[in-house]
Amino acid sequence: MPHVVTFGEIMLRLTTPGQSRFAQATELEVTFGGAEANVAVAIAQFGGQASFVTKLPDHELGQRAIDELQRCGVYTSHILRGGDRLGVYFLEQGASQRAGKVIYDRAGSALAMAEPSEWDWRKIFEGADWFHWSGITAALSPACAAMVQQASAAARSLGLKVSFDMNFRAKLWSPARAALVLTPLMQHVDVCICGASEAASVFGIAAASDEAAAIALAERFVFKAVAIPQRHSASASATQFGALLRVGGEVVQSRRHEITVVDRVGSGDAYSGGLIFSLMRGDDPSHANDFAVAAGVLAHTVPGDFPLFSLAEVEALAGGADGGRVQR
Amino acid sequence: MPHVVTFGEIMLRLTTPGQSRFAQATELEVTFGGAEANVAVAIAQFGGQASFVTKLPDHELGQRAIDELQRCGVYTSHILRGGDRLGVYFLEQGASQRAGKVIYDRAGSALAMAEPSEWDWRKIFEGADWFHWSGITAALSPACAAMVQQASAAARSLGLKVSFDMNFRAKLWSPARAALVLTPLMQHVDVCICGASEAASVFGIAAASDEAAAIALAERFVFKAVAIPQRHSASASATQFGALLRVGGEVVQSRRHEITVVDRVGSGDAYSGGLIFSLMRGDDPSHANDFAVAAGVLAHTVPGDFPLFSLAEVEALAGGADGGRVQR
Amino acid sequence: MPHVVTFGEIMLRLTTPGQSRFAQATELEVTFGGAEANVAVAIAQFGGQASFVTKLPDHELGQRAIDELQRCGVYTSHILRGGDRLGVYFLEQGASQRAGKVIYDRAGSALAMAEPSEWDWRKIFEGADWFHWSGITAALSPACAAMVQQASAAARSLGLKVSFDMNFRAKLWSPARAALVLTPLMQHVDVCICGASEAASVFGIAAASDEAAAIALAERFVFKAVAIPQRHSASASATQFGALLRVGGEVVQSRRHEITVVDRVGSGDAYSGGLIFSLMRGDDPSHANDFAVAAGVLAHTVPGDFPLFSLAEVEALAGGADGGRVQR
Amino acid sequence: MPHVVTFGEIMLRLTTPGQSRFAQATELEVTFGGAEANVAVAIAQFGGQASFVTKLPDHELGQRAIDELQRCGVYTSHILRGGDRLGVYFLEQGASQRAGKVIYDRAGSALAMAEPSEWDWRKIFEGADWFHWSGITAALSPACAAMVQQASAAARSLGLKVSFDMNFRAKLWSPARAALVLTPLMQHVDVCICGASEAASVFGIAAASDEAAAIALAERFVFKAVAIPQRHSASASATQFGALLRVGGEVVQSRRHEITVVDRVGSGDAYSGGLIFSLMRGDDPSHANDFAVAAGVLAHTVPGDFPLFSLAEVEALAGGADGGRVQR
Amino acid sequence: MPHVVTFGEIMLRLTTPGQSRFAQATELEVTFGGAEANVAVAIAQFGGQASFVTKLPDHELGQRAIDELQRCGVYTSHILRGGDRLGVYFLEQGASQRAGKVIYDRAGSALAMAEPSEWDWRKIFEGADWFHWSGITAALSPACAAMVQQASAAARSLGLKVSFDMNFRAKLWSPARAALVLTPLMQHVDVCICGASEAASVFGIAAASDEAAAIALAERFVFKAVAIPQRHSASASATQFGALLRVGGEVVQSRRHEITVVDRVGSGDAYSGGLIFSLMRGDDPSHANDFAVAAGVLAHTVPGDFPLFSLAEVEALAGGADGGRVQR
Amino acid sequence: MPHVVTFGEIMLRLTTPGQSRFAQATELEVTFGGAEANVAVAIAQFGGQASFVTKLPDHELGQRAIDELQRCGVYTSHILRGGDRLGVYFLEQGASQRAGKVIYDRAGSALAMAEPSEWDWRKIFEGADWFHWSGITAALSPACAAMVQQASAAARSLGLKVSFDMNFRAKLWSPARAALVLTPLMQHVDVCICGASEAASVFGIAAASDEAAAIALAERFVFKAVAIPQRHSASASATQFGALLRVGGEVVQSRRHEITVVDRVGSGDAYSGGLIFSLMRGDDPSHANDFAVAAGVLAHTVPGDFPLFSLAEVEALAGGADGGRVQR
């Protein structure tokens, strides 16, 4: 089984239950999540090997983050312990015309305060085939951007494939700052996942179509593959999800699924995890994109960041099942 | 008030809360259900008399099943106590493209291990007007199939009407096995409820339309009435429900209701219970079918197997109410 | 900031959780609500000053009602303590074709048993700009109707604007009784909020359109403004909401929002609160109506009677946001 | 199996969860209870026949009260439907030095507003052996006191035994009023259950010991048996429970159990139910008292008013088991 | 009514439910608390006027902290908005031999990062009679220590009484650091609340008895009154609580209550609030200490930091009630 | 770090919440447990290496059992998948005089139906130092007894230490049957953990003291060490726990801890895990016994079977900490 390493921050996610608001909730649901951790979980759930790298404080809630990853089958032996804080994010789910809301409380986290010298990438990548990171990690601190740079370079030099998901977060940095930090890092990236509007706002790629955006990205940064996730949300309760994928010169477009939303956080990461898994096992671009989109769709139907569904479920949806029958 | 006897297995149903998955749930919701028990509850809720016959282990959870039936007004005096196991089924509700899932844990249940000699059908049917069973009971064990045979024959000889609901479950037996067991039992059945696809897979009736399927069933087995429930599910969250009913030579087709699904398990049983209740009180076929369909629709909106709604509510929906106003 | 006084009953609301029925619920959710209290909360949430006037029993649950109002920033210093009962209403939320249900248990409440002489309206209205009441208050008892008459007259004589929301409740009185009690009170009203069907059933205004109803109401009772909330509910789970507003001779019609319903109780009050707030700060009729409709729409998305959302959220929806993106 | 009829009010009990206060609870637990209903449940749980007589409003929550009784095996066919209100009581459980609190909201209940002419006691007592009522029923209204008088007289004339539990509630009436109403009713009573302090405050029996109180009660009212429940509570979390029973001239004293309290409401009713059941089946006074005390003790360990435990469990505790081992 | 101002940090408290551990909890209970906020709540609950001063971030959870204070009747108009973080503390309740645990996540909170120049103490103290702070506030940052110094000096110069509670927290600072920061601040303090072991570790007062410690504290720092809370905990589930109070030369010792613990966090603050309230209304030292101890005892019986009980409840316990009877 | 292998059944444990009974619970709490799995978890929590060996069905709930073990750091790579059933046990916690109850539903589980030939013990024990099993495994089926025999023999031949915990369960087999099956297996055991009453009932060792029982066991079966756990339960809510340990000829007796019980299931397994861990790292008998007892005590304070506490917590309690202070 191929082996993927992902690197980033995992946070304690505290979610208001049901449709209750921050002003109302008398309890918060405890889960954990973070873009790169979610990708690792996806790959482990599908049957691949996945290792998640981060730094976590040496207290019970830092340990809990590790427990939750282990439970999903993710390798945690390269996680460092130390620092003061576990990043936290508070999530209020939206409903109908009321948008979901995130309050980030992640400044000063163990990872954000870590130093590049703490990591031995050569050791971390032993036996690995693929390295994945996202823009969020680079946004956490200049040191984190440096770590990503070192990790990506090491990965490439060791023969790993490198994938990158833009994951632009306006509450973490500006598009201009993102462009400044990310542009030099793109040279180490093989597979780029980036929404069309992110390509426009961060990289200034104002394309007339998703295909054009994919081509422009691929040409500017010499990516082997570019994926453009596509969403259209009528409200907080209903959305469409699909994606365009360009591998080499081939462009494939998935169907667009109409979704009754349970939890949209982490659906992009499920797409990324699905794409990496599918490309790693050698699927053709069309199936890889359909598989990844199916993973993204299912992620909307499961509470929490983590993509807790199986290879068989993703394959079934990619193959046309609609979920309309109880399996009994 | 007419009196219906139903016979089958009632199980402990353990449901994951909200949209959580088997991998996530830290508690399971406790309800009870089973096709024939659900029918008995429907009839008792509508104001009829209903007696449920089964065998349950002599421990607290076996007693709980009886408590829950009594609470709904179902007579339980013919329930035997003994055996080792209470049948259990685990249910994970679906959402959008993610299908609901059932894990059956019912092998070796008290009823499945019971012997035909344990039942005195003549006594059980005293004062009763109708006997109902479903294919699930016949699938539990050869002994159970024999019990159904004896009960149906006794019921007919005592002047009761007999109804049968196919309820084919692929996790319990194959279509071929079902055909073998069920075919000889059909001679004791007056009213048959059977989906068109079940008629095709089990009885080999490949009809061009639901009406044709109803005619074919009625002709082959000399049923007085045949009902064909009709579902079309866009996803786990949305479905259509309606039915075609043929009584004697008259065929009636209900409207098809668009449903936002709360809990689809037991909706077919609610249809059956509604149909039996309505036919027993002498409604004409068109109203009987509309009433039964309304019961089936409402069953989609109530958590749990049991059809917990009133005669007035079913009549209101059968009469055109849409649920759109708070009653205050 | 302008200051609004509202007068009426606040009740303990006991709601069945999730989609469970009165026959099933093993716990009831505790919130508080009442038409005029909800309006006061809306105005306080938007940043206005709001004072709620009522009478509550001198026990822990009476105090809890005050706590909940204070928590939302509503002034409670004019609330009287005494009497025997806190009004209660039990709410079962509907789902799809199953309608929501209210069981009122409010007879004999502290307010319903209060006497007009207990209130000093001149003192209550010190520093206030607007007085709001609804038909429910007048329906509670003849004494309550007299209180409303005295309060409205005092408010007008002190230069306050007076608004009235019909809020007809068939479980409290008949249309004929409502007409008898309310008609003489209309002379003190500046702004009338009344559904077209209520105008017809209570005041006998059978208009061909909502605009015609607004004109007829304005002309008969010499209102400065008339608002006609508009709902079309496909089921308990989905509804449309909009409104027509006529101020002086100008008529404006909002867009109609398609809503996935979380909790529809209190949405009309949110519209009223939004309308009062917007008119008080001098918005033009079109924006006032759009703002008020947005408040009414958001109220459908928040559990409980109280309109717990901010000015910014209402403005965003009035300005076209659809809720489809998580804010992060 | 002997058959007991009990008569009184069953209320919706709404309990704050865990140790939360009325000021804090965001949900209330739904159970049902009332002194005489609790006695009926005890007898049915132990395997006797019990019929509960009351009047309940014709709405879903009135029906729910019936459902809950049926579930416990209590006969409900003599329950009248009608009236406006279901009695409600709010319960906040105590903890350590903080006392439990009840807010009664039962005025105007269906039973309190019922008329004596609504009951046909001769029919109600068909097949019955014992009639039980408590002081609470007599306190509800003068009409209820009259009903108790008629029922007791009818019961005696039909050969039933009559038992009475004082259950003095200071929030319902004064000791003087209780004495006035209850004294003439005592002539119909065979078995009297009355705390020593109640005997003193209501009947003016200032005895030097529980035995002396029992003798004085028996002599003044010519009771066949008198039971004196004995409690000593160190705090809301810990209590002692025992009882003295005098039957004819024989006096027996149980051991006093040290209890870690789960829910003390209904423990006296469990004692009464145990005593009636044990006397009915012919136990000697010593075992009857030990059995009844064991029932009272177990009632402290089960949430809710209803004494949900079995004959075997009561016998085990009466026989010396201490609960210290998991049964596996 | 006298008016107290308290100053410090209020945090989001996230508590594991029941006896679950950080490793297990799937939801965390949401309350708010902080030493000085708890004192303000106590005084408002008892009927006094209390104003809480702090700084909170301008997001929904910052607002929630204000909502919760308002709900308890605490004035919040002097709370500043701004800064990045709301302080958080995670609490795992202990049980038996397993100790409770706090994980602080309060570094960088809005208050810790605030500047002395942001506060106008002269305006804040308008109409106030008393100022209370605790060692925690001084420990948050040097700026916070400076604020406390300025506030205390201003309070004294304006004629307010000043009280101080040591509240030493080993996770915030060392005894040596505390001594350095706190010693110069003691000159502005009238009433000092300090455990005997804290007096020893921070101020080096190694006294042979609590009375000796009180004398030594009073003499060294010229306090008008010194209170020594006394605890002896057999385990996480059981504790004793009492206090010694020295006012002028008079020393009083309360009884020591045996407590079954519900929630011990905030019990010292309840003592402080009770003491301030009782001294402000002119109680003699013995009653003031008994009242304050009763408040401290009741705080152990209520979930959450906030002392949610009434003047009447505290007086009852101070007067000898033990909580052993349900009030009904 | 030494490495322990344990072998047995892990079950889905479904627990009634709070103090609710099987007759009441509307949800059941989901955890997993089993004697040998609990021991593996203890060792992994303390920082050792532990591998759990069993067979689980190939469905979502079988996988969930693995997830829960992985989450605790237990190695699961030797777990077989297949068979029909996951063993289930229903647990109702006791309270005060009401005993806890277990309903086993484990017959026909994947492990009970497995064959000895499915296991390759030589491979399983690679790198391992210790093998642990309990009487429960031997009771499941004759095949399971054979597996234990083969495993123990293999372990001994490979140089592993072997420990055995009697864990007699009357609902699984009789003492006579246990004696017959277990006696020949004792020759492979180094360390025996066995209650004095179990030694008497199963092995007929009627000793005058725990020490005498330990000596008799050691002499009869040539054990290197014998541990006698000691419990005295006043009720379901309170118990004492201690142990006597004999290693070679040295006998040590721990203190007996007074425990307020949260969850007593699994406390003996925590003792076993603690003993194995402590002996493996070379502690002297006195510390090993104190450490193991402390683990057993803490297990009473944590919900669920799994001993979720740390090495540091066990050491602290073994060293005399009593849990009476919140760590902050």
Side-chain angles (χ1 to χ4, degrees), chain A residues 6-12 32-38 52-57 65 69 85-89 104-114 119 133-134 136-141 144 172 269 305-306:
Chain A
T6 76
F7 172 55
E9 186 166 86
I10 184 167
M11 291 173 284
L12 171 59
F32 287 80
E36 299 82 4
N38 302 344
F52 178 63
V53 179
T54 193
K55 185 174 180 184
L56 287 166
L69 290 162
R85 292 199 64 218
L86 174 65
V88 176
Y89 85 96
Y104 278 130
D105 187 16
R106 62 197 297 180
S109 71
L111 182 61
M113 306 303 281
W119 316 90
W133 60 284
S134 93
I136 292 170
T137 309
L140 294 180
S141 68
C144 284
L172 295 182
D269 307 323
D305 273 50
F306 283 179

Side-chain angles (χ1 to χ4, degrees), chain D residues 19-21 23-25 89 91-104 167-171 197 231-239 264-266, chain E residues 31 45 64 71 239 255-263 294 297-298 300-310 312-313 317 321-328:
Chain D
Q19 283 103 357
S20 65
R21 306 215 66 184
Q24 298 175 303
Y89 85 96
L91 174 64
E92 179 187 283
Q93 299 280 16
S96 201
Q97 280 80 3
R98 178 166 60 78
K101 282 199 182 174
V102 165
I103 297 178
Y104 278 130
N167 264 340
F168 181 76
R169 295 287 179 271
K171 293 193 177 179
S197 66
R231 301 163 190 277
H232 179 75
S233 290
S235 76
S237 303
T239 194
R264 60 176 78 209
V265 181
Chain E
T31 56
Q45 292 286 303
R64 176 74 181 274
R71 157 189 211 156
T239 195
R255 60 184 282 221
R256 302 200 184 192
H257 301 256
E258 299 281 348
I259 303 171
T260 303
V261 178
V262 171
D263 187 328
V297 170
L298 286 174
H300 286 87
T301 74
V302 176
D305 273 50
F306 283 0
L308 295 174
F309 35 83
S310 68
E313 290 175 309
L317 177 54
D322 59 9
R325 285 196 156 257
V326 177
Q327 296 173 358
R328 62 182 174 180

Side-chain angles (χ1 to χ4, degrees), chain A residues 168-192:
Chain A
F168 181 75
R169 294 287 179 270
K171 293 192 176 179
L172 295 182
W173 58 0
S174 67
R177 172 89 194 138
L180 196 69
V181 171
L182 294 173
T183 299
L185 300 174
M186 292 301 101
Q187 63 179 299
H188 307 297
V189 171
D190 297 285
V191 178
C192 171

Side-chain angles (χ1 to χ4, degrees), chain B residues 41-281:
Chain B
V41 169
I43 288 161
Q45 291 286 302
F46 302 157
Q49 295 185 81
S51 178
F52 178 64
V53 180
T54 193
K55 185 173 180 183
L56 287 166
D58 194 17
H59 59 42
E60 290 85 347
L61 291 170
Q63 182 58 43
R64 175 74 180 272
I66 294 175
D67 295 349
E68 297 293 333
L69 290 162
Q70 283 182 337
R71 159 188 209 155
C72 299
V74 172
Y75 303 150
T76 61
S77 56
H78 292 298
I79 294 178
L80 303 180
R81 299 301 294 274
D84 293 327
R85 291 201 65 218
L86 173 66
V88 176
Y89 85 96
F90 298 93
L91 173 63
E92 178 187 282
Q93 298 281 14
S96 201
Q97 279 80 3
R98 178 166 59 78
K101 282 201 181 172
V102 164
I103 297 177
Y104 278 129
D105 187 16
R106 63 198 297 180
S109 72
L111 182 61
M113 306 303 280
E115 292 300 320
S117 60
E118 300 184 51
W119 314 91
D120 179 350
W121 293 108
R122 191 158 290 272
K123 191 165 168 208
I124 290 167
F125 289 137
E126 263 171 31
D129 305 285
W130 194 290
F131 175 57
H132 176 78
W133 61 285
S134 92
I136 291 170
T137 309
L140 295 180
S141 68
C144 284
M147 293 173 210
V148 167
Q149 193 277 331
Q150 292 173 9
S152 299
R156 285 289 279 265
S157 77
L158 292 162
L160 284 77
K161 286 270 193 335
V162 176
S163 54
F164 159 76
D165 181 358
M166 173 61 83
N167 265 339
F168 180 76
R169 294 286 178 271
K171 294 193 176 178
L172 295 183
W173 57 2
S174 68
R177 172 89 192 136
L180 195 70
V181 171
L182 293 174
T183 299
L185 300 173
M186 291 302 102
Q187 62 179 301
H188 307 298
V189 172
D190 298 285
V191 178
C192 170
I193 301 152
C194 181
S197 66
E198 295 171 319
S201 64
V202 176
F203 290 137
I205 292 177
S209 69
D210 288 352
E211 182 172 351
I215 292 171
L217 281 165
E219 292 187 346
R220 181 181 309 172
F221 297 112
V222 201
F223 296 133
K224 293 198 185 68
V226 174
I228 312 275
Q230 300 157 328
R231 302 163 190 276
H232 178 75
S233 291
S235 77
S237 303
T239 194
Q240 282 184 342
F241 186 76
L244 177 145
L245 175 66
R246 183 176 185 276
V247 180
E250 182 180 354
V251 172
V252 291
Q253 169 67 48
S254 75
R255 60 184 281 224
R256 303 202 183 191
H257 301 256
E258 299 281 347
I259 303 171
T260 303
V261 178
V262 171
D263 187 328
R264 61 176 77 209
V265 180
S267 55
D269 307 322
Y271 175 83
S272 298
L275 185 64
I276 294 166
F277 181 84
S278 193
L279 292 175
M280 278 176 69
R281 69 176 182 183

Side-chain angles (χ1 to χ4, degrees), chain B residues 12 14 21-30 59-61 64 67 85-86 88 90 101 103 105, chain F residues 12 14 21-30 59-61 64 67 85-86 88 90 101 103 105 107:
Chain B
L12 171 59
L14 295 169
R21 307 215 66 184
F22 285 133
Q24 300 175 302
T26 55
E27 56 196 24
L28 294 170
E29 296 169 354
V30 172
H59 59 42
E60 290 85 347
L61 291 170
R64 175 74 180 272
D67 295 349
R85 291 201 65 218
L86 173 66
V88 176
F90 298 93
K101 282 201 181 172
I103 297 177
D105 187 16
Chain F
L12 171 60
L14 295 168
R21 306 214 66 183
F22 285 134
Q24 300 175 301
T26 54
E27 56 196 25
L28 295 169
E29 297 168 354
V30 172
H59 59 43
E60 290 86 348
L61 292 170
R64 175 73 181 272
D67 296 348
R85 291 201 65 218
L86 173 66
V88 177
F90 298 93
K101 282 200 183 175
I103 297 178
D105 187 16

